[in-house]
Amino acid sequence: MNNTVLFSQLISSLSFFTVANTNSEVAVTPQSLVNGDDVKKVLEADKRKEAQLISYEVIDFTKRGDNYACVVSSVKVKYDLHEKQDYVSYVVKLNPCRNFTGYEDLTAIMFKKEAKFYADIVPELNAVLEALNQDPLKFPKCYHYNLTMGKEQIYFEDLRSRDFRMFDRRKGMDELHTPLVLREMARLHAAAYLLQCQNPKEPLEQKFDFLKRDWLNFTDNDAISEMMRQLLHNYLTNSISMLKRVGGYESAIAWVESLIPRVEEILTQGMQSKRFGTINHGDCWNNNILFRYDDEGKPIDVILLDLQICRKASLACDLNYFLYTSLTGSVRQPNLKDFLSTYYSSYKGVLEDAGRDMFFNEDDLMKEFREKNTLGAFFGMMIVPIMLMEPEDVPDMSGKDDSDMDNLVQEFQDKAMDMLNTNPLLKPRFLAIFDDMMETGLIP
Ligand SMILES: *[C@@H]1O[C@H](CO)[C@@H](O)[C@H](O)[C@H]1NC(C)=O
Ligand SMILES: *[C@@H]1O[C@H](CO)[C@@H](O)[C@H](O)[C@H]1NC(C)=O
Ligand SMILES: *[C@@H]1O[C@H](CO)[C@@H](O)[C@H](O)[C@H]1NC(C)=O
């Protein structure tokens, strides 16, 4: 299971900002955070109390380029239950122990979002679905988390043992994979809608206050918000350079330039949707989705992972994020209407089982999707170049600190420009984002 949060890749590879460094004692490795106390808790949550921990071993299995905001590893546990010895493996997500300014606070909120999503939100959503005889949501089982600042850890079932695999992040999702993701995304959104209906007086983002933390206010530290703004800005200017290199995209360049002063507005507009507001996965792209296949290699099941930027926003934010980061234009463009229909029927199915009328139709959905297209384009521009990088080309952040930041930024930008010539996947996928927006008239 290789799960990534792109978002921190962004922070660490593209931030120019340095503020007072408060994090100078980082000398431990993420793997060394795994300790007997936590492993015991994991084992107890999974097996029963009587299970005795005998020993454990940390075994890395992810590649560089797969780990950004957190380090993902595994723990092989030897235990004794009723005088029988056995082994079990868990996946653990660890604080990356990197020495960048602001990292500690950002890591803390992202681990909190994810741990609390599994511990507090998923059981409530599943209770809603269970009452309707619907399957539980397809997330990994989470056994234990430790949110001690600087030493964050979250332990999951090891989905490799259930044959779930990551989709090659450089490929676009096709007509078989995409509907599986959309149906599951719709069930998440619809279950959250029903949960909200149970208690309209208490907004979900009040009950689960971490859902209110968004790109520009992950923490209360203004310096971090400013760093984020700068970072997102850099992505837009990087896209402009890429479009200039390609040539012939003058109207798209003018449009991206017009977005620069509007970054804040674009990111926050999705948060304010009353009608379509629901719990968003927040980071739904290739690397955060696992599939299971039948003997013919056809995908038959899906698991969504990595809730580190879950938030309350319009359902169209997740849809745009996924469809503009994880699909090629050649799959997205001809199938868009069908894809949204698939999402729609899954959503409607949940509401119908609950005896509720659907409160929007397919045209409303398309309209809301279009209204949030700027957000889709925005994340597409950021993520597509990163997604297509070879793991060995992703700037290596281990052992780096603030003084290396400018070099890392430059390295990343040079790489993206090189890739326009060297990686045949990049140009069509990147340009398709703008072609879409020209066709719908968003780019005049
Ligand atoms: C972390 O970075 C600061 C300054 O950027 C440096 O002084 C310190 O030695 C670094 N700590 C480690 C453990 O690398
Ligand atoms: C959480 O981590 C801290 C620091 O490593 C440790 O002292 C504590 O025992 C851990 N808590 C649990 C419940 O394992
Ligand atoms: C963060 O910003 C969003 C969008 O403007 C807002 O809705 C939310 O309340 C803010 N959260 C906090 C904790 O200030």
Short mmCIF file of all heavy atoms in Angstrom, two decimals, residues 134 182-187 190 341-351:
data_model
loop_
_atom_site.label_atom_id
_atom_site.label_comp_id
_atom_site.label_asym_id
_atom_site.label_seq_id
_atom_site.Cartn_x
_atom_site.Cartn_y
_atom_site.Cartn_z
N GLN A 134 -26.85 -1.07 3.47
CA GLN A 134 -25.78 -0.81 2.50
C GLN A 134 -24.46 -1.29 3.08
O GLN A 134 -24.27 -1.31 4.29
CB GLN A 134 -25.69 0.70 2.24
CG GLN A 134 -26.82 1.26 1.39
CD GLN A 134 -26.30 1.88 0.09
OE1 GLN A 134 -25.10 1.95 -0.15
NE2 GLN A 134 -27.22 2.30 -0.75
N LEU A 182 -15.98 6.56 -8.43
CA LEU A 182 -17.07 7.53 -8.36
C LEU A 182 -18.24 7.01 -7.53
O LEU A 182 -18.86 7.76 -6.78
CB LEU A 182 -17.55 7.89 -9.77
CG LEU A 182 -16.54 8.71 -10.58
CD1 LEU A 182 -17.03 8.88 -12.02
CD2 LEU A 182 -16.30 10.08 -9.95
N ARG A 183 -18.54 5.71 -7.65
CA ARG A 183 -19.64 5.15 -6.87
C ARG A 183 -19.33 5.23 -5.38
O ARG A 183 -20.19 5.55 -4.57
CB ARG A 183 -19.89 3.69 -7.26
CG ARG A 183 -20.93 3.58 -8.35
CD ARG A 183 -21.26 2.12 -8.64
NE ARG A 183 -21.24 1.95 -10.07
CZ ARG A 183 -20.41 1.18 -10.75
NH1 ARG A 183 -19.51 0.44 -10.12
NH2 ARG A 183 -20.45 1.14 -12.05
N GLU A 184 -18.09 4.94 -5.04
CA GLU A 184 -17.71 4.96 -3.63
C GLU A 184 -17.66 6.39 -3.10
O GLU A 184 -18.09 6.67 -1.98
CB GLU A 184 -16.36 4.25 -3.46
CG GLU A 184 -15.98 3.93 -2.04
CD GLU A 184 -17.03 3.15 -1.26
OE1 GLU A 184 -17.90 2.50 -1.87
OE2 GLU A 184 -16.98 3.19 -0.02
N MET A 185 -17.17 7.29 -3.91
CA MET A 185 -17.13 8.70 -3.51
C MET A 185 -18.56 9.20 -3.25
O MET A 185 -18.82 9.91 -2.27
CB MET A 185 -16.49 9.53 -4.64
CG MET A 185 -16.33 10.99 -4.33
SD MET A 185 -15.94 11.92 -5.82
CE MET A 185 -14.22 11.53 -6.04
N ALA A 186 -19.49 8.80 -4.11
CA ALA A 186 -20.89 9.21 -3.95
C ALA A 186 -21.48 8.65 -2.66
O ALA A 186 -22.26 9.32 -1.99
CB ALA A 186 -21.71 8.76 -5.16
N ARG A 187 -21.11 7.41 -2.32
CA ARG A 187 -21.64 6.83 -1.08
C ARG A 187 -21.11 7.59 0.15
O ARG A 187 -21.84 7.80 1.11
CB ARG A 187 -21.29 5.34 -0.99
CG ARG A 187 -22.13 4.53 -1.96
CD ARG A 187 -21.94 3.02 -1.93
NE ARG A 187 -20.84 2.50 -1.19
CZ ARG A 187 -20.95 1.89 -0.01
NH1 ARG A 187 -22.12 1.71 0.56
NH2 ARG A 187 -19.88 1.43 0.60
N ALA A 190 -23.05 10.91 0.15
CA ALA A 190 -24.47 10.74 0.49
C ALA A 190 -24.64 10.34 1.95
O ALA A 190 -25.54 10.82 2.63
CB ALA A 190 -25.09 9.69 -0.43
N SER A 341 -23.19 10.62 -14.34
CA SER A 341 -24.41 9.82 -14.15
C SER A 341 -24.17 8.66 -13.19
O SER A 341 -25.03 8.33 -12.37
CB SER A 341 -24.89 9.21 -15.47
OG SER A 341 -25.44 10.19 -16.27
N THR A 342 -22.99 8.04 -13.33
CA THR A 342 -22.64 6.95 -12.42
C THR A 342 -22.61 7.44 -10.98
O THR A 342 -23.15 6.80 -10.07
CB THR A 342 -21.24 6.39 -12.79
OG1 THR A 342 -21.28 5.93 -14.13
CG2 THR A 342 -20.81 5.28 -11.86
N TYR A 343 -21.96 8.57 -10.80
CA TYR A 343 -21.89 9.18 -9.46
C TYR A 343 -23.31 9.46 -8.98
O TYR A 343 -23.69 9.12 -7.85
CB TYR A 343 -21.07 10.49 -9.54
CG TYR A 343 -21.12 11.30 -8.26
CD1 TYR A 343 -20.13 11.15 -7.28
CD2 TYR A 343 -22.15 12.21 -8.02
CE1 TYR A 343 -20.18 11.89 -6.10
CE2 TYR A 343 -22.20 12.95 -6.85
CZ TYR A 343 -21.22 12.78 -5.89
OH TYR A 343 -21.28 13.51 -4.73
N TYR A 344 -24.11 10.05 -9.87
CA TYR A 344 -25.47 10.46 -9.51
C TYR A 344 -26.31 9.25 -9.07
O TYR A 344 -26.99 9.31 -8.03
CB TYR A 344 -26.14 11.15 -10.70
CG TYR A 344 -27.49 11.71 -10.37
CD1 TYR A 344 -27.61 12.95 -9.77
CD2 TYR A 344 -28.66 11.00 -10.66
CE1 TYR A 344 -28.85 13.48 -9.44
CE2 TYR A 344 -29.91 11.52 -10.33
CZ TYR A 344 -30.00 12.76 -9.72
OH TYR A 344 -31.22 13.27 -9.39
N SER A 345 -26.26 8.16 -9.83
CA SER A 345 -27.14 7.03 -9.44
C SER A 345 -26.71 6.41 -8.13
O SER A 345 -27.55 5.93 -7.37
CB SER A 345 -27.26 5.95 -10.52
OG SER A 345 -26.38 6.13 -11.53
N SER A 346 -25.39 6.41 -7.86
CA SER A 346 -24.94 5.85 -6.59
C SER A 346 -25.44 6.72 -5.43
O SER A 346 -25.93 6.22 -4.42
CB SER A 346 -23.41 5.76 -6.61
OG SER A 346 -22.91 5.41 -5.35
N TYR A 347 -25.32 8.03 -5.59
CA TYR A 347 -25.78 8.96 -4.57
C TYR A 347 -27.29 8.78 -4.35
O TYR A 347 -27.78 8.64 -3.22
CB TYR A 347 -25.46 10.40 -5.02
CG TYR A 347 -25.53 11.45 -3.94
CD1 TYR A 347 -24.41 12.17 -3.57
CD2 TYR A 347 -26.73 11.74 -3.30
CE1 TYR A 347 -24.46 13.14 -2.58
CE2 TYR A 347 -26.80 12.72 -2.31
CZ TYR A 347 -25.66 13.41 -1.95
OH TYR A 347 -25.72 14.37 -0.98
N LYS A 348 -28.01 8.74 -5.46
CA LYS A 348 -29.47 8.63 -5.42
C LYS A 348 -29.87 7.32 -4.75
O LYS A 348 -30.83 7.27 -3.97
CB LYS A 348 -29.99 8.69 -6.85
CG LYS A 348 -31.49 8.73 -6.97
CD LYS A 348 -31.86 9.10 -8.42
CE LYS A 348 -33.37 8.96 -8.61
NZ LYS A 348 -33.69 8.19 -9.81
N GLY A 349 -29.11 6.24 -5.04
CA GLY A 349 -29.41 4.94 -4.46
C GLY A 349 -29.41 4.99 -2.93
O GLY A 349 -30.28 4.41 -2.27
N VAL A 350 -28.44 5.70 -2.38
CA VAL A 350 -28.35 5.79 -0.91
C VAL A 350 -29.55 6.58 -0.37
O VAL A 350 -30.20 6.17 0.59
CB VAL A 350 -27.03 6.47 -0.48
CG1 VAL A 350 -26.98 6.65 1.03
CG2 VAL A 350 -25.83 5.65 -0.95
N LEU A 351 -29.86 7.70 -1.02
CA LEU A 351 -30.99 8.51 -0.53
C LEU A 351 -32.32 7.78 -0.67
O LEU A 351 -33.17 7.85 0.21
CB LEU A 351 -31.03 9.87 -1.26
CG LEU A 351 -30.39 11.00 -0.44
CD1 LEU A 351 -28.93 10.73 -0.16
CD2 LEU A 351 -30.56 12.35 -1.11
#
